[in-house]
Amino acid sequence: MRIITGLYKGRHFDIPRTFKARPTTDFAKENIFNVMNGYIDFEDTDALDLFAGTGSISLELLSRGCRQVVSVEMDRDHAAFIRQCMQKIDTDKNVLIRNDVFRFLKSCHRQFDIIFADPPYQLEQIDTLPSLIFDKELLKPNGLLVFEHGKQNDFSSHPRIIDHRTYGSVNFSLFR
């Protein structure tokens, strides 16, 4: 896993082979972040990384200048790996929350400029996540929700969708 650009550009982190998480490929990550650049300025923004997994997205957000990134990851080993990665880049701008994403969303009372969600593609409630985020008003006005999902999910009729991109088997729906 590597950081594509920004302050920590080129830094590599070896993901343990025992991990269940599938990190977003470098190709897909680079392309979606290029698209995101057209919608939002990363400098001095607050971001939320849901289903943080390996921390790849959180690291990329921090590298691009986010003021703070809240990473939510339920798995103990994955959370420990994210913590180690943050220590390696010597940052205190990451808040790691080890919790179930749905439980976190129900209790969260904060708004974010960027929300990135990369749930397991087989997650039963995957189709409810964008609406849950908007119902809880977690996204700031003019904020951006980036939702990674499989080809079986279609958000084209969602009232807040603004863009959809596909990179190989990876789909991203963007909402405002």
Side-chain angles (χ1 to χ4, degrees):
M1 171 178 84
R2 74 179 171 94
I3 299 176
I4 307 289
T5 197
L7 182 62
Y8 308 114
K9 178 181 179 178
R11 297 286 301 265
H12 286 266
F13 302 89
D14 294 324
I15 301 168
R17 295 177 198 257
T18 58
F19 272 25
K20 298 169 279 212
R22 57 156 173 75
T24 302
T25 65
D26 284 349
F27 174 75
K29 183 169 65 170
E30 184 171 7
N31 281 288
I32 197 59
F33 270 88
N34 287 339
V35 170
M36 290 167 68
N37 274 330
Y39 290 104
I40 199 154
D41 181 9
F42 293 96
E43 291 290 320
D44 297 322
T45 59
D46 293 317
L48 174 63
D49 183 8
L50 299 173
F51 305 95
T54 62
S56 174
I57 299 300
S58 294
L59 288 162
E60 194 70 40
L61 288 164
L62 288 167
S63 185
R64 290 170 185 252
C66 286
R67 176 180 34 241
Q68 185 181 62
V69 176
V70 175
S71 307
V72 181
E73 174 55 47
M74 185 170 64
D75 185 275
R76 181 190 71 225
D77 295 334
H78 294 194
F81 179 75
I82 293 169
R83 191 173 295 109
Q84 288 174 348
C85 291
M86 296 303 165
Q87 289 170 346
K88 285 180 183 175
I89 63 169
D90 193 27
T91 186
D92 61 354
K93 295 181 178 186
N94 180 255
V95 176
L96 178 61
I97 298 175
R98 195 170 150 241
N99 199 349
D100 172 75
V101 165
F102 291 96
R103 188 173 295 136
F104 170 80
L105 290 175
K106 288 178 182 168
S107 64
C108 183
H109 300 290
R110 181 174 170 192
Q111 289 189 314
F112 299 90
D113 301 289
I114 303 166
I115 299 176
F116 197 105
D118 180 11
Y121 291 177
Q122 313 80 10
L123 185 70
E124 284 184 27
Q125 311 97 312
I126 194 169
D127 291 331
T128 66
L129 274 166
S131 292
L132 178 60
I133 289 166
F134 286 112
D135 290 348
K136 291 285 295 174
E137 298 179 356
L138 300 178
L139 198 62
K140 290 181 183 176
N142 294 319
L144 183 67
L145 167 60
V146 179
F147 195 79
E148 184 175 337
H149 57 88
K151 64 183 177 187
Q152 70 275 15
N153 303 101
D154 179 10
F155 296 99
S156 60
S157 63
H158 193 283
R160 304 285 296 265
I161 193 159
I162 56 170
D163 201 350
H164 177 263
R165 301 294 173 111
T166 303
Y167 306 106
S169 62
V170 180
N171 287 262
F172 293 97
S173 292
L174 286 78
F175 304 82
R176 273 228 145 122

